[in-house]
Amino acid sequence: FAFMQRLKTRPQFQATLSGATVARTPHFALHRLPLATPQEASEPVPGLGRVPVALIAPGAVWLGAMVPKRWARRAVTRNAIKRQIFAVAALNAARLPPAAHVVRLRSAFDRKQFVSARSEALCQAVRAELLQLFERSSRKALPEVASAGSAEP
């Protein structure tokens, strides 16, 4: 998938965060919510008799970034981390399954080690850890695909 959609609304983020955490690093967590296929999304739900309005359109890769003030106090730092998240995700878009993903900052980077709000060292550390995060998530997705392929006759 060359084109990646961005999660924008609070309900989209909440729905995605309710999905499984597929990878973790010391500072980041990647949450994934598998989406219904376009065919499944167009079928009526039993008991409702109507097709539900999709919160997140199926069949695409969706990505959101959560960088709370609690872990990155300065706006410059939060924006730099978000830029890195979207840049690294764009590099790994082909390996991501069509699902909703949220990359969440889960702890602060040491302010004694990274004194500047947006130093080159901080950007490199963030990028390296995000590459590791996406590598772990793709490794985790491969066994599922392999086991599903071997189950068929």
Side-chain angles (χ1 to χ4, degrees):
F1 296 94
F3 185 65
M4 189 178 302
Q5 302 277 340
R6 286 200 184 179
L7 298 174
K8 291 184 178 116
T9 66
R10 184 181 181 107
Q12 287 176 330
F13 276 89
Q14 288 174 331
T16 305
L17 287 171
S18 71
T21 303
V22 293
R24 274 196 179 98
T25 61
H27 294 98
F28 294 100
L30 177 65
H31 299 269
R32 179 181 297 149
L33 178 69
L35 303 174
T37 63
Q39 295 81 20
E40 292 171 348
S42 63
E43 294 174 5
V45 174
L48 279 180
R50 61 181 170 80
V51 178
V53 176
L55 187 61
I56 304 169
V61 176
W62 289 79
L63 181 73
M66 279 183 60
V67 185
K69 278 186 184 177
R70 177 180 181 184
W71 301 124
R73 298 297 300 164
R74 302 198 49 195
V76 174
T77 307
R78 290 194 304 275
N79 290 333
I81 292 172
K82 284 181 187 176
R83 277 191 215 102
Q84 291 292 331
I85 289 169
F86 289 116
V88 171
L91 293 175
N92 290 285
R95 296 194 304 184
L96 291 173
H101 302 83
V102 169
V103 177
R104 177 177 56 89
L105 181 65
R106 63 189 200 110
S107 66
F109 281 88
D110 186 19
R111 291 191 69 175
K112 290 180 180 68
Q113 186 180 354
F114 304 105
V115 180
S116 172
R118 193 194 175 281
S119 64
E120 192 59 38
L122 175 64
C123 288
Q124 287 175 353
V126 168
R127 187 175 190 84
E129 201 167 312
L130 288 168
L131 287 167
Q132 186 181 28
L133 181 78
F134 282 103
E135 178 63 34
R136 286 180 184 176
S137 75
S138 66
R139 256 189 281 138
K140 202 169 199 174
L142 292 176
E144 295 170 7
V145 173
S147 65
S150 63
E152 293 179 23

